[in-house]
Amino acid sequence: MSDNHQNPTAISRRALVAGLAAAPFAAQAAAPADGGGLGTAEAPISIRMAANDAFAKLWQTVLVPEFNKSFPNIKVTIDGQTYSEQLTKSLLDLTGATPTYDVICTDDPWTPQLAQTGALLDLKKDAAAWTDPGFDWADFNPAPLAASEWKGVQYGVPLRSNMLLMFYNRTHYKKAGLPEPTPKLTWAEFMAQAPKLVQDVKGEGKVNAWAIDTYFARDQLTPTIWQAILNAHGGKLLDDKGKAAFNTPVGVATLQIFVDLLKYAPPGAKAHVFNEELQAFRQGQLAAMFMWGSVFRGTAIDPATTTLKPDEVGVQVMPAGSAGPGTHRGIWSGVISKKTPHPRAAWALLQWMSSKEGERFASSQVGSFPARRSTLSNKPKDDWQIPVFATLQQSYDVAQKGQMWRPRLAKSDAVQQVLADEVARATSGEISPADALKNAAARIDKLRL
Amino acid sequence: MTPGPRRSRRMERLADTLSRWGFMAPAFLILAAVLAYPILYTLEISFSELDLGTFMPSEWVGWDNYETVLEDERFWHSMKVTGIYLAFAMPLQMVLGFAIAFLVNADWRGRGVIRALFLIPMVIAPVVAGGLWRMLLDPLWGISNWFLGLVGIGPLDWFGDSTLAMATIVLIDTWRWTPFVTLIATAGLLSLPRDVFEAAEIDGANWWVMLRHVTLPLLVPIMAAAFVVRWLGAVKMFDIVLASTLGGPGRATNVINLFIYQEAFRGLKFAESAAMSVVVLVITMALTAVFLRGSRLLEQRY
């Protein structure tokens, strides 16, 4: 249900002022029928992209020069933005009279919120005339492609795919006398093994390694870990009517599993998010972590960022519940502003980045994970990518089967914030998992999704 | 008197008035743009439904947003958390700031270096300060627990324990803002009239008597001013919490500004968040008026 109460026939005072102010630029801003072309040596085209600051600079310095080998007359500028500001900035930019950005890199749950503004280009319809005949839509795995689809319209393409995976330290498992995890590992087995994985791995006579670490702090991504456990047990966040569907015995039991993980986590883990768990694992203080797959290279391969050796680190889908293994989708997709004067050039950039050629280049040069079946099934450039790509393909299939992603709603972030609040209260011991889910369900139902 | 000189004087006055307003106009315009407009826009949103598709107020809803906010237990909990933080941080920073100012003001070698070092926390960005302390206090890698371990204390879960997390926020904020109070107090101490102290010395007053009956009464206006300035900074507490605890564990450090930010930019409840901001603004202005009145009374008394 839409929460848009605006009278469609009424024009607000501010909209009128904004419209009048923008009028002199309207002709300049409107896209010509040919989509603004691809530029020429004499008249190159400049387009601007907003992306997360974690990878914007790398894309600018590595991907853009490669793109310019094929499209030398399209000058691309990629601006980095902090994650916490990105959604709001994107919304404000798209709804402005003269948007700054032609292309926006959007996180997994944001497409519905951005699409609701009516300011995104329908790639399969509006951009169909400029689509390369060789651009293979069917080659994308359905799970990552669906991240930028809303209400049957494809607004974007996957640029940087990610999945929540289980990383494990083989040395720790061996020292604890436990078998190496496999995708068949269940949550019950993992919880039974966890006490043995809290151990002294350095011979110091005291505990210096723990079983697990992940997001535990009051953060929007913390509930995704619990959601992966919930989904693995057949539970889901919302029903078809947008009502909370997690306040069930399965929901409570799985949140209890998540809270119980803290018993086997390092001291201070209640305040841990991405950086803390990653550093703990890379410094050999963890037997396992639930983390985004894209950190694999820096965790297992690059000696500048890890103390672990490549053969020490294993990666697989998260443990299984009654419905199978778990994971959670986190795809960065590229979308195009309808108001860009250069939609063709913007689409050329996105096509190249998400093409077979672009994916291969990005996965080998900047460590981005591909979304295409062909990229994942072909032999990758580096040997370390072979097991990682196999796990990634499995996680896409698992995510697609269990619909393991954040709510596909215009108010997705609001749902996520409610879950972050209440899950944090449960992990801190302030309230029980049952009360946390009861509160969360009541608050989510009030959001009128 | 002839009309000529009168007209000329009138023209002069007009030119004078115009030039004064001409010089002030840019400042007025900038103030209106950066101060008045956001406040008025916030007020407008707080009485409306905000359309997220256009970011425009779409429907006048009267006091609905205010009713929702005032009935929200989470809003009052965040106000309580903010109150706890202020109740501990403000007195601590005032006492420490003035105590350090007395020490720094005494005549000893190296005090210039100490004064300069005291300024460092103030110039560090709050987000960096939060991150820095997060590293120092981390139970796994932080140096603080290692030191405490040497004397048999700990390990302490600075950010994971609800009570300790609030104490940690107060500690970081005190580290960051005590130098500011010290700076104001030092300036105040240096501006005190020397003849009063010389007279007290001739009368045989010792160090304690001079502090109790001369220095402190003379410093009361400075203390009151420092308190009000620091209060106005402290009620805005946001960035250190964002960088260190994210409002947790649970909601132990979820101060009101972080709560409003999360409701607005995460929950996308901009209208209700605007109503919250207005409520907080009104409460802050009322308390500030009380403090200013109190400081005036203290000034009159001393």
Side-chain angles (χ1 to χ4, degrees), chain B residues 243-298:
Chain B
S244 56
T245 64
L246 292 164
R251 47 184 190 169
T253 58
N254 196 22
V255 290
I256 189 66
N257 294 313
L258 182 66
F259 178 66
I260 294 173
Y261 167 80
Q262 285 172 334
E263 287 292 292
F265 293 97
R266 295 294 191 185
L268 301 177
K269 294 180 188 171
F270 288 98
E272 286 171 22
S273 304
M276 286 182 217
S277 302
V278 174
V279 172
V280 172
L281 181 69
V282 169
I283 294 174
T284 306
M285 283 169 70
L287 286 173
T288 306
V290 170
F291 294 145
L292 285 172
R293 174 87 183 128
S295 68
R296 226 168 277 135
L297 287 174
L298 281 171

Short mmCIF file of all heavy atoms in Angstrom, two decimals, chain B residues 243-298:
data_model
loop_
_atom_site.label_atom_id
_atom_site.label_comp_id
_atom_site.label_asym_id
_atom_site.label_seq_id
_atom_site.Cartn_x
_atom_site.Cartn_y
_atom_site.Cartn_z
N ALA B 243 29.81 7.14 16.84
CA ALA B 243 31.09 6.52 16.48
C ALA B 243 31.52 5.43 17.45
O ALA B 243 32.35 4.61 17.10
CB ALA B 243 32.17 7.60 16.41
N SER B 244 30.95 5.43 18.66
CA SER B 244 31.47 4.46 19.62
C SER B 244 30.49 3.36 20.02
O SER B 244 30.85 2.19 20.06
CB SER B 244 31.96 5.18 20.88
OG SER B 244 30.93 5.98 21.42
N THR B 245 29.23 3.70 20.28
CA THR B 245 28.30 2.65 20.76
C THR B 245 27.07 2.46 19.88
O THR B 245 26.33 1.49 20.08
CB THR B 245 27.77 3.00 22.17
OG1 THR B 245 27.01 4.21 22.08
CG2 THR B 245 28.89 3.18 23.17
N LEU B 246 26.83 3.36 18.97
CA LEU B 246 25.63 3.32 18.12
C LEU B 246 24.35 3.33 18.96
O LEU B 246 23.30 2.85 18.53
CB LEU B 246 25.63 2.08 17.22
CG LEU B 246 26.70 2.03 16.13
CD1 LEU B 246 26.85 0.63 15.59
CD2 LEU B 246 26.35 2.97 15.00
N GLY B 247 24.46 3.85 20.19
CA GLY B 247 23.28 3.91 21.06
C GLY B 247 23.13 2.70 21.96
O GLY B 247 22.25 2.68 22.82
N GLY B 248 23.94 1.67 21.75
CA GLY B 248 23.83 0.44 22.54
C GLY B 248 24.78 0.44 23.71
O GLY B 248 25.39 1.47 24.00
N PRO B 249 24.88 -0.68 24.40
CA PRO B 249 24.16 -1.94 24.16
C PRO B 249 22.68 -1.78 24.47
O PRO B 249 22.33 -1.01 25.36
CB PRO B 249 24.83 -2.92 25.13
CG PRO B 249 25.41 -2.05 26.19
CD PRO B 249 25.78 -0.76 25.55
N GLY B 250 21.88 -2.52 23.76
CA GLY B 250 20.43 -2.31 23.89
C GLY B 250 20.13 -0.88 23.47
O GLY B 250 20.38 -0.50 22.34
N ARG B 251 19.66 -0.08 24.43
CA ARG B 251 19.47 1.34 24.12
C ARG B 251 20.04 2.18 25.25
O ARG B 251 19.55 3.27 25.54
CB ARG B 251 17.99 1.64 23.87
CG ARG B 251 17.06 1.05 24.92
CD ARG B 251 15.61 1.31 24.56
NE ARG B 251 14.77 0.94 25.69
CZ ARG B 251 13.49 1.24 25.78
NH1 ARG B 251 12.90 1.90 24.81
NH2 ARG B 251 12.78 0.88 26.82
N ALA B 252 21.10 1.63 25.87
CA ALA B 252 21.68 2.25 27.07
C ALA B 252 22.27 3.63 26.81
O ALA B 252 22.31 4.47 27.70
CB ALA B 252 22.74 1.34 27.67
N THR B 253 22.76 3.87 25.60
CA THR B 253 23.38 5.18 25.30
C THR B 253 22.67 5.88 24.14
O THR B 253 23.26 6.70 23.45
CB THR B 253 24.88 5.02 24.97
OG1 THR B 253 24.99 4.13 23.86
CG2 THR B 253 25.66 4.46 26.13
N ASN B 254 21.41 5.51 23.95
CA ASN B 254 20.66 6.06 22.82
C ASN B 254 20.18 7.48 23.15
O ASN B 254 19.00 7.70 23.46
CB ASN B 254 19.49 5.14 22.50
CG ASN B 254 18.92 5.41 21.13
OD1 ASN B 254 19.58 5.96 20.26
ND2 ASN B 254 17.67 5.04 20.92
N VAL B 255 21.08 8.43 23.07
CA VAL B 255 20.74 9.82 23.41
C VAL B 255 19.73 10.38 22.40
O VAL B 255 19.59 9.86 21.29
CB VAL B 255 22.00 10.73 23.45
CG1 VAL B 255 22.87 10.39 24.64
CG2 VAL B 255 22.77 10.65 22.16
N ILE B 256 19.06 11.43 22.78
CA ILE B 256 17.91 11.91 22.01
C ILE B 256 18.26 12.29 20.57
O ILE B 256 17.50 12.01 19.64
CB ILE B 256 17.19 13.08 22.75
CG1 ILE B 256 15.87 13.42 22.06
CG2 ILE B 256 18.07 14.31 22.87
CD1 ILE B 256 14.83 12.34 22.15
N ASN B 257 19.43 12.89 20.38
CA ASN B 257 19.77 13.30 19.02
C ASN B 257 20.02 12.11 18.10
O ASN B 257 19.68 12.14 16.92
CB ASN B 257 20.98 14.24 19.03
CG ASN B 257 20.65 15.54 19.71
OD1 ASN B 257 19.62 16.14 19.45
ND2 ASN B 257 21.49 15.95 20.65
N LEU B 258 20.62 11.05 18.65
CA LEU B 258 20.82 9.84 17.86
C LEU B 258 19.47 9.21 17.56
O LEU B 258 19.23 8.74 16.43
CB LEU B 258 21.72 8.85 18.63
CG LEU B 258 22.05 7.56 17.88
CD1 LEU B 258 22.91 7.84 16.66
CD2 LEU B 258 22.77 6.57 18.79
N PHE B 259 18.59 9.20 18.55
CA PHE B 259 17.25 8.64 18.36
C PHE B 259 16.52 9.38 17.24
O PHE B 259 15.94 8.75 16.34
CB PHE B 259 16.47 8.73 19.68
CG PHE B 259 15.06 8.21 19.58
CD1 PHE B 259 14.81 6.87 19.34
CD2 PHE B 259 13.98 9.07 19.72
CE1 PHE B 259 13.50 6.40 19.25
CE2 PHE B 259 12.69 8.61 19.63
CZ PHE B 259 12.44 7.27 19.39
N ILE B 260 16.58 10.72 17.28
CA ILE B 260 15.90 11.51 16.24
C ILE B 260 16.50 11.22 14.87
O ILE B 260 15.79 11.03 13.88
CB ILE B 260 15.97 13.02 16.57
CG1 ILE B 260 15.16 13.32 17.83
CG2 ILE B 260 15.45 13.86 15.41
CD1 ILE B 260 15.30 14.75 18.34
N TYR B 261 17.84 11.16 14.83
CA TYR B 261 18.53 10.90 13.56
C TYR B 261 18.10 9.55 12.99
O TYR B 261 17.79 9.42 11.80
CB TYR B 261 20.05 10.91 13.81
CG TYR B 261 20.87 10.35 12.68
CD1 TYR B 261 21.15 11.11 11.55
CD2 TYR B 261 21.37 9.05 12.74
CE1 TYR B 261 21.90 10.59 10.52
CE2 TYR B 261 22.13 8.52 11.73
CZ TYR B 261 22.39 9.28 10.61
OH TYR B 261 23.14 8.76 9.59
N GLN B 262 18.06 8.52 13.87
CA GLN B 262 17.71 7.20 13.37
C GLN B 262 16.25 7.13 12.94
O GLN B 262 15.93 6.48 11.93
CB GLN B 262 18.00 6.14 14.44
CG GLN B 262 19.50 5.89 14.56
CD GLN B 262 19.87 5.01 15.73
OE1 GLN B 262 19.14 4.95 16.73
NE2 GLN B 262 21.00 4.35 15.64
N GLU B 263 15.39 7.78 13.68
CA GLU B 263 13.98 7.79 13.29
C GLU B 263 13.79 8.50 11.94
O GLU B 263 12.97 8.09 11.13
CB GLU B 263 13.14 8.50 14.36
CG GLU B 263 12.97 7.68 15.63
CD GLU B 263 12.12 6.44 15.45
OE1 GLU B 263 10.92 6.55 15.21
OE2 GLU B 263 12.70 5.32 15.52
N ALA B 264 14.56 9.57 11.74
CA ALA B 264 14.41 10.35 10.50
C ALA B 264 15.07 9.66 9.32
O ALA B 264 14.42 9.38 8.31
CB ALA B 264 14.99 11.75 10.69
N PHE B 265 16.37 9.37 9.46
CA PHE B 265 17.13 8.94 8.29
C PHE B 265 17.14 7.43 8.09
O PHE B 265 17.51 6.95 7.03
CB PHE B 265 18.55 9.50 8.35
CG PHE B 265 18.57 10.99 8.21
CD1 PHE B 265 18.64 11.80 9.33
CD2 PHE B 265 18.48 11.58 6.96
CE1 PHE B 265 18.64 13.18 9.20
CE2 PHE B 265 18.47 12.95 6.83
CZ PHE B 265 18.54 13.76 7.95
N ARG B 266 16.79 6.68 9.13
CA ARG B 266 16.66 5.23 8.97
C ARG B 266 15.20 4.83 8.88
O ARG B 266 14.79 4.11 8.01
CB ARG B 266 17.31 4.50 10.16
CG ARG B 266 18.80 4.71 10.24
CD ARG B 266 19.48 4.07 9.07
NE ARG B 266 20.92 4.03 9.24
CZ ARG B 266 21.75 3.60 8.32
NH1 ARG B 266 21.29 3.18 7.17
NH2 ARG B 266 23.04 3.60 8.52
N GLY B 267 14.43 5.34 9.85
CA GLY B 267 13.01 5.01 9.86
C GLY B 267 12.21 5.81 8.85
O GLY B 267 11.04 5.52 8.61
N LEU B 268 12.84 6.82 8.26
CA LEU B 268 12.20 7.71 7.29
C LEU B 268 10.93 8.37 7.85
O LEU B 268 9.98 8.65 7.14
CB LEU B 268 11.90 6.99 5.96
CG LEU B 268 13.12 6.39 5.26
CD1 LEU B 268 12.70 5.64 4.01
CD2 LEU B 268 14.13 7.47 4.90
N LYS B 269 10.91 8.58 9.18
CA LYS B 269 9.77 9.27 9.81
C LYS B 269 10.18 10.73 10.00
O LYS B 269 10.45 11.17 11.13
CB LYS B 269 9.45 8.63 11.16
CG LYS B 269 8.95 7.22 11.07
CD LYS B 269 8.67 6.73 12.48
CE LYS B 269 8.34 5.27 12.53
NZ LYS B 269 8.29 4.78 13.91
N PHE B 270 10.27 11.45 8.92
CA PHE B 270 10.77 12.82 8.98
C PHE B 270 9.82 13.75 9.73
O PHE B 270 10.26 14.64 10.45
CB PHE B 270 11.04 13.35 7.57
CG PHE B 270 12.23 12.72 6.92
CD1 PHE B 270 12.09 11.67 6.04
CD2 PHE B 270 13.52 13.16 7.22
CE1 PHE B 270 13.19 11.07 5.46
CE2 PHE B 270 14.63 12.56 6.64
CZ PHE B 270 14.46 11.51 5.76
N ALA B 271 8.52 13.57 9.55
CA ALA B 271 7.57 14.47 10.19
C ALA B 271 7.60 14.30 11.71
O ALA B 271 7.68 15.29 12.46
CB ALA B 271 6.17 14.21 9.66
N GLU B 272 7.56 13.05 12.17
CA GLU B 272 7.62 12.81 13.62
C GLU B 272 8.97 13.26 14.18
O GLU B 272 9.04 13.78 15.30
CB GLU B 272 7.38 11.34 13.92
CG GLU B 272 5.93 10.93 13.74
CD GLU B 272 5.73 9.43 13.81
OE1 GLU B 272 6.58 8.74 14.40
OE2 GLU B 272 4.72 8.96 13.27
N SER B 273 10.03 13.04 13.42
CA SER B 273 11.35 13.46 13.89
C SER B 273 11.43 14.98 14.00
O SER B 273 12.06 15.51 14.90
CB SER B 273 12.44 12.96 12.94
OG SER B 273 12.33 11.57 12.81
N ALA B 274 10.77 15.67 13.06
CA ALA B 274 10.74 17.13 13.14
C ALA B 274 10.00 17.57 14.40
O ALA B 274 10.42 18.50 15.09
CB ALA B 274 10.04 17.70 11.90
N ALA B 275 8.90 16.87 14.72
CA ALA B 275 8.16 17.19 15.95
C ALA B 275 9.05 16.95 17.17
O ALA B 275 9.05 17.76 18.11
CB ALA B 275 6.89 16.34 16.03
N MET B 276 9.80 15.84 17.15
CA MET B 276 10.72 15.57 18.26
C MET B 276 11.74 16.70 18.40
O MET B 276 12.04 17.16 19.50
CB MET B 276 11.48 14.27 18.02
CG MET B 276 10.69 13.02 18.21
SD MET B 276 11.78 11.61 17.95
CE MET B 276 10.67 10.50 17.14
N SER B 277 12.28 17.14 17.26
CA SER B 277 13.29 18.20 17.28
C SER B 277 12.71 19.47 17.89
O SER B 277 13.39 20.16 18.65
CB SER B 277 13.79 18.51 15.87
OG SER B 277 14.31 17.36 15.29
N VAL B 278 11.48 19.77 17.53
CA VAL B 278 10.86 20.98 18.06
C VAL B 278 10.66 20.85 19.58
O VAL B 278 10.95 21.79 20.33
CB VAL B 278 9.50 21.26 17.34
CG1 VAL B 278 8.78 22.42 18.00
CG2 VAL B 278 9.75 21.57 15.88
N VAL B 279 10.21 19.68 20.03
CA VAL B 279 10.03 19.46 21.47
C VAL B 279 11.36 19.64 22.20
O VAL B 279 11.44 20.34 23.23
CB VAL B 279 9.44 18.05 21.74
CG1 VAL B 279 9.43 17.75 23.24
CG2 VAL B 279 8.04 17.94 21.19
N VAL B 280 12.40 19.04 21.65
CA VAL B 280 13.73 19.14 22.28
C VAL B 280 14.20 20.60 22.27
O VAL B 280 14.75 21.09 23.26
CB VAL B 280 14.75 18.22 21.55
CG1 VAL B 280 16.17 18.47 22.04
CG2 VAL B 280 14.37 16.77 21.75
N LEU B 281 13.94 21.29 21.16
CA LEU B 281 14.34 22.70 21.05
C LEU B 281 13.65 23.53 22.14
O LEU B 281 14.28 24.35 22.81
CB LEU B 281 14.01 23.24 19.66
CG LEU B 281 14.38 24.69 19.40
CD1 LEU B 281 15.89 24.85 19.35
CD2 LEU B 281 13.77 25.17 18.08
N VAL B 282 12.36 23.30 22.30
CA VAL B 282 11.60 24.07 23.30
C VAL B 282 12.12 23.78 24.71
O VAL B 282 12.36 24.71 25.50
CB VAL B 282 10.09 23.75 23.19
CG1 VAL B 282 9.32 24.32 24.37
CG2 VAL B 282 9.53 24.30 21.88
N ILE B 283 12.33 22.50 25.02
CA ILE B 283 12.83 22.14 26.36
C ILE B 283 14.21 22.76 26.58
O ILE B 283 14.51 23.31 27.64
CB ILE B 283 12.88 20.60 26.52
CG1 ILE B 283 11.45 20.05 26.51
CG2 ILE B 283 13.59 20.21 27.82
CD1 ILE B 283 11.38 18.52 26.51
N THR B 284 15.07 22.67 25.56
CA THR B 284 16.42 23.22 25.68
C THR B 284 16.37 24.73 25.90
O THR B 284 17.10 25.27 26.76
CB THR B 284 17.23 22.92 24.40
OG1 THR B 284 17.17 21.53 24.15
CG2 THR B 284 18.68 23.34 24.54
N MET B 285 15.51 25.41 25.14
CA MET B 285 15.42 26.87 25.28
C MET B 285 14.90 27.24 26.68
O MET B 285 15.40 28.17 27.32
CB MET B 285 14.49 27.45 24.21
CG MET B 285 15.15 27.53 22.85
SD MET B 285 14.00 27.92 21.53
CE MET B 285 13.61 29.60 21.92
N ALA B 286 13.92 26.47 27.18
CA ALA B 286 13.37 26.76 28.51
C ALA B 286 14.44 26.58 29.58
O ALA B 286 14.62 27.44 30.46
CB ALA B 286 12.17 25.85 28.78
N LEU B 287 15.16 25.45 29.49
CA LEU B 287 16.22 25.20 30.49
C LEU B 287 17.34 26.23 30.37
O LEU B 287 17.89 26.68 31.38
CB LEU B 287 16.77 23.79 30.33
CG LEU B 287 15.84 22.67 30.83
CD1 LEU B 287 16.39 21.30 30.47
CD2 LEU B 287 15.67 22.77 32.34
N THR B 288 17.67 26.61 29.13
CA THR B 288 18.72 27.62 28.94
C THR B 288 18.28 28.94 29.58
O THR B 288 19.10 29.63 30.22
CB THR B 288 19.01 27.82 27.44
OG1 THR B 288 19.29 26.56 26.87
CG2 THR B 288 20.19 28.75 27.23
N ALA B 289 17.01 29.30 29.42
CA ALA B 289 16.50 30.54 30.04
C ALA B 289 16.64 30.46 31.55
O ALA B 289 17.03 31.44 32.20
CB ALA B 289 15.04 30.74 29.63
N VAL B 290 16.32 29.28 32.11
CA VAL B 290 16.45 29.09 33.57
C VAL B 290 17.91 29.27 34.00
O VAL B 290 18.22 29.97 34.97
CB VAL B 290 15.94 27.69 33.98
CG1 VAL B 290 16.28 27.39 35.44
CG2 VAL B 290 14.44 27.61 33.76
N PHE B 291 18.81 28.65 33.23
CA PHE B 291 20.24 28.76 33.58
C PHE B 291 20.73 30.21 33.47
O PHE B 291 21.53 30.67 34.29
CB PHE B 291 21.09 27.84 32.69
CG PHE B 291 20.82 26.39 32.90
CD1 PHE B 291 20.86 25.48 31.84
CD2 PHE B 291 20.50 25.89 34.16
CE1 PHE B 291 20.60 24.14 32.04
CE2 PHE B 291 20.24 24.54 34.37
CZ PHE B 291 20.29 23.67 33.30
N LEU B 292 20.29 30.89 32.41
CA LEU B 292 20.72 32.29 32.23
C LEU B 292 20.21 33.16 33.38
O LEU B 292 20.93 34.02 33.91
CB LEU B 292 20.22 32.83 30.89
CG LEU B 292 20.97 32.32 29.65
CD1 LEU B 292 20.26 32.77 28.38
CD2 LEU B 292 22.41 32.82 29.65
N ARG B 293 18.96 32.91 33.78
CA ARG B 293 18.37 33.66 34.90
C ARG B 293 19.17 33.37 36.18
O ARG B 293 19.50 34.27 36.94
CB ARG B 293 16.90 33.25 35.06
CG ARG B 293 16.20 33.83 36.25
CD ARG B 293 15.62 35.18 35.92
NE ARG B 293 15.00 35.76 37.11
CZ ARG B 293 15.25 36.97 37.58
NH1 ARG B 293 16.10 37.76 36.96
NH2 ARG B 293 14.64 37.43 38.64
N GLY B 294 19.48 32.08 36.35
CA GLY B 294 20.25 31.67 37.53
C GLY B 294 21.62 32.33 37.54
O GLY B 294 22.09 32.80 38.60
N SER B 295 22.26 32.36 36.38
CA SER B 295 23.60 32.95 36.33
C SER B 295 23.54 34.45 36.63
O SER B 295 24.42 35.01 37.27
CB SER B 295 24.25 32.70 34.97
OG SER B 295 23.58 33.40 33.97
N ARG B 296 22.45 35.10 36.18
CA ARG B 296 22.30 36.52 36.46
C ARG B 296 22.13 36.76 37.97
O ARG B 296 22.71 37.67 38.55
CB ARG B 296 21.10 37.08 35.69
CG ARG B 296 21.45 38.41 34.99
CD ARG B 296 20.38 38.81 34.01
NE ARG B 296 20.53 38.14 32.73
CZ ARG B 296 19.54 37.58 32.05
NH1 ARG B 296 18.32 37.58 32.53
NH2 ARG B 296 19.77 37.03 30.90
N LEU B 297 21.34 35.88 38.59
CA LEU B 297 21.14 36.00 40.04
C LEU B 297 22.45 35.81 40.80
O LEU B 297 22.76 36.52 41.76
CB LEU B 297 20.11 34.96 40.51
CG LEU B 297 18.65 35.24 40.14
CD1 LEU B 297 17.76 34.08 40.53
CD2 LEU B 297 18.17 36.53 40.83
N LEU B 298 23.23 34.83 40.31
CA LEU B 298 24.53 34.58 40.96
C LEU B 298 25.46 35.78 40.81
O LEU B 298 26.18 36.16 41.74
CB LEU B 298 25.18 33.34 40.35
CG LEU B 298 24.66 31.99 40.84
CD1 LEU B 298 25.24 30.87 40.00
CD2 LEU B 298 25.01 31.77 42.31
#
